[in-house]
Amino acid sequence: MKRVNLKGIGPKLIEFGDNYFICEFIDGILFEKFLLSEDKDCVKKVVRGLLKQCYVLDKLKIDKKEMTNPYKHIIIRNKKAIMFDFERARYCERPHNLSGFCQYLMSRKIQSKFKFGINDLRDLIKEYKKDYSLANFKKIIIVVLNK
């Protein structure tokens, strides 16, 4: 939590010690409810922020482990996404935050909100996983957000 907080990710860590931690309370709505109820432009802005957070986690070599099914792990407050539940997060050489979140976006009920080419996104994810490059990340943003 301390490390991701430095990058503006997650609730603010207030205190920690042996076998406990205290962090900021996040009041807001769960991501999936937000996703299905807000207008397309607002959703795209929040998803763009989430994709960036996933990319930062990948570059930090931190795998959050919840991004393929994040509906209970992201709260939207003031139209900004805050990831939480980092207790399963681990350092690893090949994290899967961005690719996992993209898999979630490709699910039938979510993908209908964006209308991007699933095969195009799959190909880009394969390329991204080879080197986690900024260039490949930007290509993913373009496909997901139709920009």
Side-chain angles (χ1 to χ4, degrees):
M1 291 278 303
K2 200 173 181 181
R3 191 165 179 203
V4 299
N5 276 179
L6 292 172
K7 300 293 185 179
I9 298 173
K12 291 179 185 162
L13 182 62
I14 296 168
E15 180 182 327
F16 65 96
D18 292 339
N19 300 316
Y20 81 95
F21 72 93
I22 300 170
C23 66
E24 156 192 35
F25 175 75
I26 306 296
D27 189 23
I29 64 171
L30 289 175
F31 176 63
E32 194 161 294
K33 184 176 180 183
F34 169 84
L35 189 66
L36 299 173
S37 66
E38 286 293 325
D39 68 82
K40 192 174 183 176
D41 290 334
C42 182
V43 167
K44 281 186 173 187
K45 183 178 176 185
V46 169
V47 167
R48 179 186 201 87
L50 278 165
L51 290 167
K52 286 180 181 180
Q53 289 181 53
C54 289
Y55 176 69
V56 169
L57 289 173
D58 283 351
K59 293 304 273 185
L60 291 172
K61 298 187 182 280
I62 296 172
D63 194 5
K64 188 174 179 313
K65 302 276 189 207
E66 305 290 348
M67 297 314 293
T68 56
N69 200 13
Y71 65 94
K72 292 182 183 177
H73 302 276
I74 300 169
I75 291 180
I76 308 303
R77 176 177 68 187
N78 300 326
K79 303 202 180 191
K80 183 176 187 295
I82 302 167
M83 293 182 190
F84 62 99
D85 281 350
F86 281 86
E87 66 268 1
R88 290 186 60 210
R90 300 286 181 263
Y91 288 105
C92 70
E93 283 301 310
R94 309 298 297 167
H96 301 286
N97 299 295
L98 185 64
S99 59
F101 187 62
C102 286
Q103 283 180 320
Y104 171 73
L105 292 176
M106 287 187 277
S107 67
R108 190 169 299 193
K109 77 176 170 180
I110 305 304
Q111 200 272 334
S112 64
K113 189 84 169 179
F114 294 94
K115 307 221 184 315
F116 52 77
I118 290 177
N119 290 331
D120 293 337
L121 185 55
R122 281 191 184 123
D123 292 342
L124 288 172
I125 290 167
K126 285 178 190 175
E127 286 303 308
Y128 169 80
K129 288 165 86 173
K130 291 177 185 176
D131 61 7
Y132 296 86
S133 73
L134 181 59
N136 284 328
F137 167 67
K138 286 180 178 181
K139 290 176 187 175
I140 290 170
I141 292 272
I142 289 167
V143 167
V144 170
L145 301 179
N146 298 307
K147 292 201 170 208

